Amino acid sequence: MRPWARLRGGTFARRSGATRPPPTAPLLLSPPPSAAPATLRTPVGTPAPLAVAQQAAARSSTLLKSRNKVLPLTAHSTPKVLVAGWQLSSLPSVDARGTRIAARGLATARFTTGFHPTQAEIAQAVAVGRQSDVVVASTYNVWGGDPDDQQTLVEALVATGKPVVVIAQNTPYDIAYLPG
C-alpha cells in the first residue's frame, strides 16, 4: 500500500503511517485527466497559471491552530519575541518576520539558523529562546531535511517551555513533522 493516496482532482492525502509526501505530489488542484480542454472555462495546468499559483503558494502562510491565546502577538501580552529559523532572501523569513513583529512594538531578537541548523546553532537559539516570552520558529520543507535538523530545532525550542509559534513556509507539509 502506498503511503499517499491520490484523490479526485489530482491532490494527495496522507495515509496513516506515511512519513513524507510523494516527490511529485502536485501542490495545486487540477482537473481530472479525462477533462476535455474544450469544456474548461479557462486553461489550467499551463505554464503561466501554474507559475502564478506556485508563487502564491510560496508566499503564503496558514494558521492551523493557536493554543493558549498566544496569537496575536502584542506588546502588552508578549513583550519579548525570538524569531528563529531558516533564511532565504526570496521568501519571507527570519529578518522579514522579525521586522514585521518589531513594527508592532515588540522587542524582537532574530536568530538565523539556515536550512540545516547545526547542534551549536540549535543550542544558541534555545539559549536566546529561554530569555524570550514567545518564540516564532520559521521552517521550510522540514520533511525534506536530512538529517531532521529543522525538526530538532523546533523540538528544542518547544522543550524550553516557552510558547512556540511555527510558521511553515511554502508548503503545509512541515506541520506533520513537528510537535503539537
Side-chain angles (χ1 to χ4, degrees):
M1 176 189 286
R2 290 183 174 176
W4 290 86
R6 187 174 189 122
L7 301 178
R8 188 173 163 198
T11 59
F12 286 81
R14 185 175 178 195
R15 289 186 178 157
S16 178
T19 57
R20 297 179 189 269
T24 58
L27 296 177
L28 305 165
L29 296 176
S30 60
S34 60
T39 64
L40 301 173
R41 289 189 176 140
T42 35
V44 293
T46 58
L50 287 175
V52 171
Q54 183 59 43
Q55 184 180 25
R59 295 180 182 207
S60 66
S61 298
T62 303
L63 175 63
L64 296 178
K65 60 183 163 182
S66 177
R67 285 193 223 150
N68 302 322
K69 299 183 181 182
V70 172
L71 298 174
L73 300 177
T74 64
H76 175 69
S77 65
T78 316
K80 291 168 50 178
V81 178
L82 166 65
V83 182
W86 70 280
Q87 180 79 22
L88 185 64
S89 61
S90 63
L91 297 171
S93 49
V94 172
D95 286 340
R97 294 189 194 287
T99 299
R100 288 184 188 142
I101 292 170
R104 303 180 110 207
L106 289 88
T108 306
R110 297 170 185 94
F111 189 84
T112 303
T113 62
F115 186 70
H116 296 290
T118 65
Q119 288 298 324
E121 289 171 324
I122 292 171
Q124 288 176 298
V126 165
V128 177
R130 285 191 176 121
Q131 298 178 25
S132 302
D133 298 305
V134 171
V135 175
V136 175
S138 184
T139 64
Y140 181 80
N141 288 341
V142 166
W143 53 273
D146 189 23
D148 298 331
D149 35 24
Q150 288 185 72
Q151 183 177 357
T152 303
L153 170 66
V154 173
E155 289 171 349
L157 292 169
V158 168
T160 66
K162 303 292 181 168
V164 176
V165 175
V166 176
I167 300 176
Q169 185 70 43
N170 196 17
T171 62
Y173 299 120
D174 287 6
I175 204 69
Y177 302 93
L178 299 171

